Amino acid sequence: MRKPAVSVLIASYNYEPYLGDAIQSVLAQTWQDFEILVVDDGSSDDSVALANSYAAKDARIRVLQHKGGVNRGLPATLKVGLAAAKGMYIAFLESDDLWHKTCLQQRFATLHHADAGVVFNNITPLPMPGADTGWFQSYVPRVMRAHSRRKCTPDQTFSLRTALLFENRIPTFSCSMVRRDLLDACNLLSPVPRWLDWWIWIQLSEKTRFCFVPEELTLWRLHAASYNHKVSATYLVEGALFWKEVRKRRLHKGILQTDAKDLAVLLPFWTVPLLRFWWIVKECGFSATLKRVKKRL
């Protein structure tokens, strides 16, 4: 049986109101060489029944669960999906997000000219009532402009090896597609579970180059229930732990290179939040930045 070009992984947990729209946005793609794996992480709503109703109509859709239908968290959920995936590429779509109908087509068109293991695209916000959009506006447009300005090689690829040390420059799983063999070699046990995507990008940056599609092909739903809506009171503690583990990878696994930029991992942790604060101040102004930080606490 012929394998699909891409396996679309939709990790699902209690987002029944949005899940159908997410699946529909994949089915509406102009690039149709895909399979969809909806991997449920112990939802207590009717997400599984909804997903199964789609699978009954389209053989490209499979619904997977943990044994006993329990909740095991995102890393374990992604492992289930990766183990079952048949595609050469893995495209992530969070169950509350959407794709533009040409998303996969434009990603593959970019990869056709690029020797890269990861392709990602620009993002547009899809705010729900009551959502705080300030953090998005001070973050996503800024990092996406930086990608657009990168001095790429003739094949349109670039390295994110250093940039990813200081900030997650690929803000959501839903805007990315990764070569399957590279993902299989990644450690999914992030030191900070909610930063699993960042942890994966850092590992991939040590192995491959990236390419970027400037069009806004992902609609990122912003709502109060999302991971990114609020800053945890333990943000600095989590950040220090994350930096420690990234540093350990580079120093103790022989990954550290002699390039001066790569030596940035030797900097103390406090430089990371300080740099991020400075970048946001440059984007929004000092007063507006303080207001946005206070609002997210």
Side-chain angles (χ1 to χ4, degrees):
M1 184 177 179
R2 182 181 174 276
K3 296 181 179 180
V6 57
S7 296
V8 181
L9 262 57
I10 303 179
S12 175
Y13 179 65
N14 285 345
Y15 274 165
E16 180 197 354
Y18 310 126
L19 178 59
D21 289 341
I23 295 172
Q24 287 281 23
S25 77
V26 181
L27 295 176
Q29 291 295 299
T30 53
W31 178 287
Q32 287 282 304
D33 190 7
F34 60 75
E35 65 172 352
I36 301 175
L37 303 178
V38 180
V39 190
D40 188 78
D41 187 23
S43 294
S44 57
D45 60 11
D46 288 330
S47 295
V48 174
L50 177 63
N52 280 328
S53 71
Y54 278 94
K57 301 172 186 176
D58 194 318
R60 296 174 299 176
I61 302 174
R62 287 183 282 159
V63 181
L64 308 172
Q65 295 177 267
H66 300 297
K67 186 175 181 180
V70 299
N71 175 267
R72 295 191 57 196
L74 185 57
T77 300
L78 291 185
K79 282 184 180 180
V80 169
L82 287 173
K86 300 175 182 177
M88 180 182 296
Y89 286 90
I90 302 295
F92 300 100
L93 179 59
E94 297 183 25
S95 57
D96 55 339
D97 293 339
L98 303 169
W99 283 343
H100 185 277
K101 65 180 180 180
T102 64
C103 181
L104 290 179
Q105 181 178 339
Q106 293 200 56
R107 289 178 184 177
F108 276 105
T110 300
L111 282 173
H112 180 71
H113 301 286
D115 183 17
V118 182
V119 58
F120 63 100
N121 54 261
N122 206 339
I123 302 163
T124 191
L126 182 60
M128 297 291 97
D132 173 18
T133 60
W135 67 269
F136 180 98
Q137 297 300 339
S138 64
Y139 169 38
V140 176
R142 171 174 56 82
V143 299
M144 292 302 169
R145 284 199 306 272
H147 293 313
S148 296
R149 292 194 300 263
R150 289 188 182 279
K151 293 181 179 179
C152 299
T153 55
D155 71 346
Q156 302 179 14
T157 68
F158 50 85
S159 171
L160 286 179
R161 185 182 177 93
T162 301
L164 281 166
L165 291 175
F166 299 100
E167 186 174 45
N168 186 357
R169 297 297 177 93
I170 307 177
T172 172
F173 270 127
S174 296
C175 72
S176 67
M177 189 167 76
V178 184
R179 216 173 66 211
R180 164 69 184 275
D181 62 305
L182 294 172
L183 269 177
D184 284 342
C186 285
N187 172 4
L188 301 185
L189 298 178
S190 172
V192 180
R194 65 193 180 97
W195 293 342
L196 175 60
D197 54 344
W198 190 6
W199 177 246
I200 291 175
W201 308 145
I202 287 173
Q203 294 176 72
L204 291 172
S205 74
E206 298 161 354
K207 306 171 185 177
T208 191
R209 294 177 69 82
F210 296 70
C211 58
F212 176 61
V213 183
E215 284 76 20
E216 295 178 351
L217 303 177
T218 298
L219 282 74
W220 192 5
R221 198 182 298 268
L222 309 180
H223 52 84
S226 70
Y227 263 163
N228 298 288
H229 194 261
K230 289 290 184 182
V231 171
S232 167
T234 60
Y235 175 80
L236 291 178
V237 175
E238 291 174 332
L241 173 62
F242 194 82
W243 183 253
K244 177 183 177 181
E245 292 303 312
V246 170
R247 187 171 183 164
K248 185 185 298 183
R249 278 190 58 81
R250 295 281 172 95
L251 294 178
H252 298 294
K253 291 197 174 185
I255 299 173
L256 190 66
Q257 296 178 345
T258 56
D259 188 297
K261 290 183 178 179
D262 207 49
L263 296 177
V265 76
L266 299 177
L267 292 171
F269 161 69
W270 59 261
T271 59
V272 178
L274 187 63
L275 272 174
R276 285 207 70 192
F277 183 80
W278 170 241
W279 290 331
I280 298 172
V281 166
K282 288 177 65 178
E283 181 79 7
C284 307
F286 185 76
S287 178
T289 299
L290 287 181
K291 289 179 181 178
R292 288 178 177 180
V293 169
K294 183 179 179 180
K295 193 172 183 179
R296 292 198 67 202
L297 292 175

